[in-house]
Structure formats: structure tokens, C-alpha cells
Amino acid sequence: MNRLAREFYRQDVISVARGLLGKLFIRDAGGRLLCGRIVEVEAYDHPGDPAAHSYNGETKRNRVMFGDGGFLYVYFIYGIHHCLNVVTGHPGEGKAVLLRGLEPVRGIEEMSLNRYGRKISNDREYLNLLNGPAKIAKAFKTDLRFNGEDLCNGDFYIADDACPESFETAVSPRIGISKGKEMHLRFFIKNSPFVS
DNA sequence: CCACGGATTGGCT
DNA sequence: GCCAATCCGTGGA
């Protein structure tokens, strides 16, 4: 797999968000590959973005967001869930892209075990496997221990799809936020059934 | 020290 | 459509 290089992540956050659509998010789980095609993301564009975790400056929780591009920012939310972000830009910028929806590609049975505790048994479970940020984290068995993982050097990475399908990119406001609702920073593949 | 709320999900009405 | 689950980081006293 051709792992994306650091410079991809060091672009502005909106370019990275758009550029991530159609790419493959991969975890090497002890030699077994878990893989999904990215179909939905959201950009968090510090400064000036009240929905970004980095809005009020660097803290212990968001410190990875303020590091270099190409690292994984994992956060814990609602006492139950984890969500995965890709840090973009350069040290000090505080920008990241949230992974919101993936199309299952590889390691589907293992991801299903992680999510449902068993194999997928119908179409609904297949469509719902990775169509939400916390679903992705659960299917990839990813928690706070992986906060700060380097996507350019380690078990988590992003790669170009060897046989990319053409698609149209759609834009909308972000989901689930209370501030910054007017900003159109959610990007997704139009007509993908794997969007949340 | 304590109180609050969150970039969500799944189950129930 | 509504709501509970469940906990840690954060900010104010």
C-alpha cells in the first residue's frame, strides 16, 4: 500500500478534507488489515471555528491537534465513544479532519466482530458498519491509547485507492455541533450509501 | 474541589 | 422522534 506522505497532511485543512475522500483508511492489526474507503469527513478549522476542540487554545486533551500534520487525534466523548481525526497543517495550527463515514473494504469480518460481537447478518448491518465517527473508532478497535499515532510511520495510515472510482463531492454544515453550524465544512461523496 | 456538557449511538415510544 | 448511557477534561470557585 502506498502510504500518503507528510506533505499531503500539511496542506490547508479544507484541501486535506476534500483530498481524503475516496482514500483508504487502514489499520494493520497484527498483520491483519482493516480497511475502509473514506466517504465522509468534517474539517475543524482553528482559529475562528467555535466547534473545534482547539478553539480555546491548547490543552492536555487537544495537544495532538496542535502538533504536526499527519498524526491521529483521538478523543473520548459522551462517556462512551471515541472519534478519530487526522491532524492537518503545521505545528501550532490546531486543525484536524474528523472521519465520519467509511465504506467497508477489507477486514470486514473482524470489524464486524469489533462492532457487533459477531459476523454481519444482513444488509443493514453492512451499511451501518462504518457510517458514523464512533462506529469507525469501534470497528477499528481504536481508543485513547492511539491518540498521537503517526500516520506516516506506524500501524495506522491512509493510502490512495489502487482503482479509484470517480465521484462528486458534496458539501454541507457539520453534524452534531452547537456552535459553528453555519460553516459548511462537512464533505462527503455524493450518493454514497455509506454516509452517516 | 466540584459541576457541567460534549464533533454519538442505539433502543424504545 | 426522544432520551439515557457514562466519563473525563475543562473551567470556575
Side-chain angles (χ1 to χ4, degrees):
Chain A
M1 286 289 187
N2 45 335
R3 181 191 296 256
L4 297 185
R6 185 78 61 202
E7 289 312 309
F8 171 82
Y9 302 103
R10 286 179 175 153
Q11 305 172 85
D12 73 274
V13 67
I14 291 170
S15 297
V16 176
R18 287 178 170 278
L20 283 173
L21 293 178
K23 298 264 193 307
L24 303 178
F25 179 70
I26 299 161
R27 176 179 185 185
D28 183 338
R32 305 176 311 280
L33 290 191
L34 306 180
C35 174
R37 177 172 174 258
I38 300 171
V39 300
E40 179 186 1
V41 297
E42 285 176 356
Y44 286 86
D45 194 8
H46 182 72
D49 179 359
H53 287 171
S54 45
Y55 185 60
N56 291 313
E58 186 172 341
T59 65
K60 182 178 176 182
R61 179 202 200 198
N62 66 24
R63 82 181 194 299
V64 172
M65 271 187 92
F66 284 94
D68 203 356
F71 288 78
L72 200 61
Y73 166 51
V74 183
Y75 65 86
F76 183 59
I77 191 78
Y78 297 121
I80 313 178
H81 303 297
H82 298 273
C83 297
L84 309 185
N85 299 254
V86 174
V87 178
T88 74
H90 300 264
E93 290 185 16
K95 305 183 192 226
V97 175
L98 172 70
L99 300 181
R100 280 202 63 92
L102 270 59
E103 173 180 346
V105 172
R106 202 168 157 182
I108 295 173
E109 186 169 321
E110 182 166 348
M111 292 194 287
S112 179
L113 281 175
N114 294 338
R115 277 266 291 135
Y116 306 122
R118 52 180 171 70
K119 292 182 188 179
I120 286 172
S121 59
N122 58 50
D123 289 347
R124 186 183 57 82
E125 288 181 352
Y126 179 65
L127 290 170
N128 290 341
L129 185 62
L130 302 172
N131 67 342
K135 297 176 184 178
I136 295 168
K138 189 169 184 188
F140 280 77
K141 219 168 187 160
T142 306
D143 58 23
L144 287 177
R145 294 193 308 264
F146 301 99
N147 186 33
E149 282 280 309
D150 186 356
L151 295 170
C152 301
N153 187 1
D155 293 337
F156 291 84
Y157 56 101
I158 295 170
D160 282 312
D161 190 337
C163 305
E165 300 173 37
S166 65
F167 59 83
E168 276 185 62
T169 298
V171 185
S172 81
R174 293 167 294 182
I175 292 175
I177 54 174
S178 55
K179 291 169 282 187
K181 286 179 175 173
E182 73 290 353
M183 304 172 85
H184 288 206
L185 294 176
R186 173 171 173 257
F187 304 93
F188 58 99
I189 291 181
K190 193 176 175 182
N191 300 324
S192 170
F194 303 99
V195 167
S196 67

